[in-house]
Amino acid sequence: MENKNVLGFEVGASKTIALMGDLSGNVFSKIVTATKNEKDNKEILFNQLKELKGKVSKKYDFDYVSMTFPGAINRKGIVAYTPNLPGWKDYNLIKGLEERFDSKVFVENDANAQAIAEKIYGYGREYSNFIYLTIGTGIGGGIFINDRLYSGHNGWAGEFGHMVIGTGPKCGCGRYGCLETLASGSAIKRMASEAGKSMSGKEVFEAWFEGNKVAKTIIDKAAGSLTIGIANIVNIFDPEAIIIGGGITKNNERFLKYIRRKLKIELGNYRRRVRIIRASESLIEKAPLALASYRLNMYK
Ligand SMILES: [Zn+2]
């Protein structure tokens, strides 16, 4: 396929990335900025995107606009749910972008798009059936079955963060004891605060590396919940690999080793061969390029 240029946007609840790149994953220019969004005025965000387009596309023509978005989006582009970016529910995002950019448009949920980036440019190339799990402030994921992304009826398949694991605090989704409330970066931060320590998730991990007992208790709890979550995923999907990304695995091979050990015990007699792999960090910004490439080649 001809290597065409793509104008990419990664819209997050707090941060937005605009980039110019191509279908092979080369990035030519990039801008990172704070997301502007107002609940009752979609033009605020659209205007920001148009402004960013002007900056990153100065020297380049582009053939496609590709955007990752922090919400559930179905195949027609209708936004079903945006927990952290108010004002977009029931909106046709593809149509909205096509009207403003006069170009062919691709949109996808951000965690799904990360899974696609692994499939197109990363470790996912080696697997037909894998699960992508992202663990940061929250927990999300993407599901690849027979080389295709499975996104569900409304586009919110792979919400592994909202699997109930045990007793725990109330989650943003309304249930209690979701994986996200027990094993995410914010869960680790909360557990530290409950233990009287004001520490970020990263600081808790650093204290754990240094042998701190309070940190060990917290990481043990989070790792225990995460292991149960992963064992559930393995029992449902029987994937070849689980690729874990997000802030929690950054420079943190030790935590993944710990999870692999715990998982062997957790799966017990039903132990299966499943690889637990750390995601390719450099792929995050290539998600919109991967999305365009994936849709053009194989998505119907
Ligand atoms: Zn939940």
Side-chain angles (χ1 to χ4, degrees):
M1 157 164 285
E2 208 184 326
N3 196 7
K4 295 189 166 170
N5 286 355
V6 179
L7 169 64
F9 295 115
E10 289 183 61
V11 176
S14 55
K15 196 175 76 175
T16 286
I17 301 173
L19 58 93
M20 183 60 65
D22 64 23
L23 293 173
S24 304
N26 301 305
V27 176
F28 310 136
S29 65
K30 184 179 87 168
I31 295 174
V32 184
T33 184
T35 304
K36 290 182 189 163
N37 184 55
E38 273 178 30
K39 190 172 182 286
D40 301 315
N41 188 357
K42 293 183 178 62
E43 292 312 316
I44 301 282
L45 181 57
F46 279 130
N47 285 338
Q48 183 181 28
L49 298 180
K50 279 192 259 180
E51 205 178 293
L52 288 166
K53 172 204 151 192
K55 288 179 183 166
V56 291
S57 69
K58 262 182 200 154
K59 288 190 281 178
Y60 309 94
D61 290 329
F62 59 89
D63 301 282
Y64 306 105
V65 172
S66 183
M67 181 161 112
T68 73
F69 200 69
I73 306 165
N74 73 12
R75 287 182 184 205
K76 290 177 183 147
I78 312 290
V79 179
Y81 180 60
T82 49
N84 303 312
L85 198 74
W88 294 87
K89 196 176 179 315
D90 300 327
Y91 182 75
N92 189 328
L93 195 54
I94 291 181
K95 200 162 161 258
L97 287 165
E98 276 173 354
E99 282 167 7
R100 285 163 183 83
F101 290 92
D102 192 27
S103 176
K104 171 89 181 142
V105 167
F106 305 108
V107 294
E108 185 54 86
N109 162 268
D110 47 9
N112 282 347
Q114 294 298 334
I116 292 172
E118 283 293 340
K119 179 68 190 166
I120 302 291
Y121 306 132
Y123 299 121
R125 279 177 295 186
E126 292 172 37
Y127 306 109
S128 290
N129 299 289
F130 73 91
I131 301 296
Y132 176 80
L133 197 58
T134 171
I135 310 171
T137 316
I139 295 182
I143 303 163
F144 260 89
I145 299 174
N146 299 335
D147 295 309
R148 304 284 297 255
L149 179 79
Y150 176 78
S151 51
H153 176 55
N154 293 292
W156 64 31
E159 286 287 333
F160 299 117
H162 300 289
M163 191 167 30
V164 170
I165 297 294
T167 41
K170 191 171 184 182
C171 179
C173 75
R175 302 172 81 196
Y176 291 82
C178 288
L179 182 62
E180 184 165 296
T181 67
L182 298 170
S184 64
S186 15
I188 289 169
K189 189 178 166 192
R190 190 202 64 242
M191 287 191 273
S193 141
E194 283 164 4
K197 309 266 182 203
S198 172
M199 293 162 105
S200 68
K202 191 169 172 254
E203 285 164 340
V204 177
F205 274 106
E206 280 162 6
W208 178 57
F209 295 155
E210 286 159 16
N212 178 289
K213 276 191 181 162
V214 177
K216 186 181 181 305
T217 311
I218 293 168
I219 298 301
D220 271 347
K221 267 193 197 166
S225 301
L226 186 58
T227 305
I228 293 172
I230 293 176
N232 291 347
I233 293 172
V234 170
N235 281 327
I236 295 167
F237 294 99
D238 185 19
E240 297 164 83
I242 295 180
I243 302 177
I244 305 182
I248 222 165
T249 57
K250 207 174 175 183
N251 303 319
N252 200 352
E253 185 58 30
R254 186 170 156 186
F255 184 60
L256 277 197
K257 272 192 187 148
Y258 191 41
I259 296 294
R260 288 186 194 108
R261 258 204 330 267
K262 280 175 116 51
L263 187 65
K264 271 193 179 167
I265 299 163
E266 185 72 29
L267 289 174
N269 293 338
Y270 294 98
R271 192 182 303 168
R272 296 180 181 89
R273 281 175 65 86
V274 57
R275 298 191 67 188
I276 307 291
I277 304 171
R278 190 157 60 139
S280 343
E281 261 164 48
S282 62
L283 288 187
I284 304 265
E285 66 178 29
K286 296 184 178 182
L289 308 177
L291 170 63
S293 170
Y294 176 71
R295 290 282 172 82
L296 285 163
N297 284 321
M298 40 196 306
Y299 205 81
K300 293 279 184 320

